[in-house]
Amino acid sequence: MKIIVAGTGYVGLVTAVCLSEVGHTVTCVDVNKEKIDMLSSGISPIFEPGLEELMKKNKYLLTFTLDSKNAYKNADVIFIGVGTPEKKDGSANLKYVYEVANEIAENIENNVIVVIKSTVPIGTNKKIERYIKSKLKNNVRVEVVSNPEFLSQGTAVRDTLHAQRIVLGVNSKQAENIMREVYDGFEIPYVITNRESAEMIKYASNDFLALKISYINEIANLCEIVGADVTDVAKGMGMDSRIGNKFLNAGIGYGGSCFPKDTKALHWLGNFYDYELKTIKAAIEINANQKLKLIKKARKYYETFENLTVAVLGLTFKPNTDDLREAPSLYNIPILLDDGANIKAYDPVGEKNFRKFYPNEIQYCKSLEETLKDADICFIFTEWEYVKNMDISLFSKLMNRPIVIDGRNCFELNKVKKENIVYESIGRSIINNINNN
Ligand code: UGA
């Protein structure tokens, strides 16, 4: 079976590598020469634990090329895993999906199954099938299958090889059988449905998780007012298997390339059909406010951050990724800079990408110690292991004024209580063991 994957971002590349892991020969196509060159020499352009190792292990089964013409020519199955970024109005931009569809139509010479892995609005699979058919150069059979992706960055390889379900939105038994052949090596249960339902499963899942986070964040905000502890509240809720204990970590809101975009896209689609999704709207609004919570908390201690030394731990939108898309750091650091703060940041994985936005405006540090030294306040934006496991006495030992504003609840309060610091987190009581505030 000749499998092609269009797009070598998180979805495309991880899909291709995992398909090679179960024995398929896969050709990856991209328009970005730099990426193809890196991939051809065995280097992953994205930071994703375990991915490069699998690429190396299966290098004889994987090919990377810019030559889409030849790749599509005799393909049996073509996965589309290109981006569907957010447009200014919140809707999904399908430009890249259509570009690939166009190339497929122009170049295929065999019957082919086109599998859309990218997150696309409900109705897109059908439209893409119609579009390809309208542009075909040969008399071949094309069917478009919806096969949404549920991998998370940082655990993408495991999430794909050991997914909880494979969702297939198909229009014929023939397409279903071919897809079952593709996924033969994976022992994962299937959900077989029509294409609209498969597309909806993806949005409904992501938006439900985003809503769950916004819900616990709102509860956390009330916990702060009434003296409850959101960590205990989430634990107590999560032990009810109907609720589940996942995605109940309160914090400074969800970021990344998916939840922010997918909540807005579904909300937009609802409005398009004159049906406002009020729960999704609430999730979006709560998240926008949550992202700026830390600055609000910090303003109690400093009216302005002008000339203050501000330590920042974590820049990425979550740990185990170098991705900065919709990261809280990108919302908060401009405010601090605008105020005139001197920022020292530490994130060995995220630094390279952050430098693209701020090459000289902030100081990038090489250790926790260097970052905290003489700081007047410290913000935690990402719960990296090195932060969660750090020696918390470093705050009082190194900082000029040990005020720590933690957006990810990295430390247990009973440990912090022993320290001579001010510690504010999300949905928990404030610890203030210094009296000069
Ligand atoms: C998300 C989904 O979890 C995947 O299932 C989906 O396939 C993917 O989007 C996608 O559509 O491609 P991802 O964005 O990589 O994956 O990361 P998550 O682990 O879901 O985290 C998203 C955001 O939510 C992060 O900013 C994280 O810090 C935040 N979060 C997560 C919380 O604030 N609290 C939680 O309890 C969990």
Side-chain angles (χ1 to χ4, degrees):
M1 186 180 278
K2 192 172 174 204
I3 300 182
I4 312 297
V5 176
T8 57
Y10 279 97
V11 172
L13 184 58
V14 174
T15 302
V17 172
C18 291
L19 286 171
S20 74
E21 175 66 7
V22 297
H24 288 294
T25 305
V26 186
T27 303
C28 300
V29 179
D30 204 292
V31 290
N32 185 328
K33 184 173 181 317
E34 205 186 324
K35 268 188 173 180
I36 291 296
D37 288 345
M38 279 175 90
L39 288 162
S40 302
S41 53
I43 301 163
S44 166
I46 50 177
F47 175 88
E48 187 57 48
L51 185 63
E52 209 167 83
E53 287 80 349
L54 275 198
M55 267 173 64
K56 288 201 171 106
K57 182 178 164 209
N58 298 306
K59 64 179 177 190
Y60 298 110
L61 295 172
L62 289 162
T63 312
F64 302 96
T65 181
L66 292 165
D67 183 0
S68 52
K69 234 185 173 98
N70 263 316
Y72 295 149
K73 208 156 114 183
N74 301 310
D76 297 304
V77 176
I78 303 172
F79 281 87
I80 302 183
V82 294
T84 52
E86 186 182 316
K87 282 206 218 165
K88 283 223 161 28
D89 64 359
S91 64
N93 186 346
L94 298 175
K95 182 173 158 231
Y96 305 110
V97 177
Y98 273 94
E99 275 172 15
V100 176
N102 191 43
E103 292 218 322
I104 291 174
E106 297 217 328
N107 295 302
I108 49 172
E109 292 178 9
N110 280 355
N111 293 345
V112 71
I113 298 287
V114 174
V115 188
I116 302 192
K117 271 228 158 268
S118 309
T119 303
V120 291
I122 294 95
T124 304
N125 276 261
K126 205 183 249 174
K127 283 188 197 152
I128 294 286
E129 185 173 291
R130 256 191 243 134
Y131 179 80
I132 295 177
K133 283 181 173 164
S134 73
K135 299 215 150 205
L136 276 181
K137 296 262 155 55
N138 290 303
N139 189 20
V140 293
R141 190 176 180 278
V142 177
E143 184 168 337
V144 175
V145 168
S146 169
N147 173 215
E149 183 49 64
F150 300 99
L151 61 82
S152 294
Q153 287 175 221
T155 51
V157 172
R158 192 190 64 205
D159 292 348
T160 306
L161 289 174
H162 307 285
Q164 292 174 13
R165 76 289 208 196
I166 292 173
V167 173
L168 295 177
V170 291
N171 206 28
S172 74
K173 194 71 196 164
Q174 198 181 344
E176 180 189 330
N177 290 341
I178 295 174
M179 291 310 294
R180 282 181 183 270
E181 219 181 293
V182 170
Y183 284 118
D184 194 31
F186 297 75
E187 277 168 29
I188 297 169
Y190 289 99
V191 176
I192 312 280
T193 180
N194 64 21
R195 296 181 288 196
E196 290 73 15
S197 308
E199 292 166 327
M200 184 61 107
I201 288 171
K202 170 67 189 189
Y203 276 106
S205 302
N206 268 10
D207 290 13
F208 183 78
L209 292 173
L211 185 56
K212 201 171 174 189
I213 297 168
S214 278
Y215 179 76
I216 199 66
N217 282 340
E218 210 171 32
I219 294 294
N221 296 343
L222 191 58
C223 281
E224 287 177 13
I225 299 167
V226 299
D229 183 312
V230 76
T231 319
D232 293 342
V233 173
K235 187 175 171 198
M237 288 168 64
M239 285 166 87
D240 182 331
S241 60
R242 292 170 305 174
I243 298 172
N245 59 10
K246 306 259 166 58
F247 282 71
L248 280 181
N249 294 322
I252 30 168
Y254 57 77
S257 64
C258 307
F259 290 170
K261 151 178 95 70
D262 295 345
T263 43
K264 286 182 207 149
L266 196 63
H267 183 249
W268 184 92
L269 194 78
N271 281 345
F272 180 78
Y273 291 114
D274 223 6
Y275 186 85
E276 166 128 83
L277 291 154
K278 295 200 178 69
T279 47
I280 310 291
K281 186 179 181 208
I284 297 167
E285 279 175 13
I286 292 161
N287 201 55
N289 289 332
Q290 202 69 12
K291 275 191 172 155
L292 300 174
K293 265 209 91 165
L294 296 196
I295 298 268
K296 274 195 204 134
K297 285 176 184 277
R299 292 259 187 232
K300 278 195 296 207
Y301 304 97
Y302 299 110
E303 228 166 86
T304 166
F305 301 102
E306 192 175 2
N307 293 327
L308 294 184
T309 300
V310 175
V312 167
L313 302 182
L315 295 169
T316 54
F317 85 92
K318 68 173 200 175
N320 295 321
T321 176
D322 61 355
D323 202 326
L324 293 173
R325 283 176 286 181
E326 295 290 322
S329 63
L330 281 176
Y331 284 81
N332 287 285
I333 286 181
I335 298 173
L336 296 167
L337 285 174
D338 214 35
D339 249 24
N342 302 315
I343 299 179
K344 293 162 88 184
Y346 182 56
D347 187 330
V349 177
E351 177 183 327
K352 189 166 163 245
N353 283 338
F354 211 80
R355 274 183 190 276
K356 292 179 194 160
F357 295 96
Y358 296 102
N360 307 310
E361 296 82 345
I362 69 175
Q363 182 190 335
Y364 296 95
C365 297
K366 293 279 160 258
S367 65
L368 285 167
E369 288 78 0
E370 186 191 349
T371 320
L372 297 176
K373 181 103 183 68
D374 299 331
D376 297 297
I377 190 162
C378 172
F379 288 97
I380 302 176
F381 294 132
T382 322
E383 68 278 32
W384 283 96
E385 281 300 309
Y386 59 77
V387 179
K388 290 200 296 187
N389 297 330
M390 70 179 265
D391 169 6
I392 42 178
S393 72
L394 287 180
F395 292 121
S396 59
K397 283 184 189 145
L398 296 169
M399 290 174 71
N400 178 38
R401 208 172 160 209
I403 301 174
V404 180
I405 314 286
D406 178 1
R408 295 295 181 188
N409 292 356
C410 288
F411 312 115
E412 282 172 31
L413 286 190
N414 55 16
K415 288 191 183 143
V416 177
K417 273 182 191 147
K418 296 179 194 137
E419 298 297 320
N420 262 346
I421 62 173
V422 173
Y423 179 73
E424 292 217 18
S425 50
I426 305 286
R428 307 189 296 177
S429 54
I430 300 170
I431 310 279
N432 188 342
N433 289 338
I434 55 176
N435 27 22
N436 60 339
N437 300 284

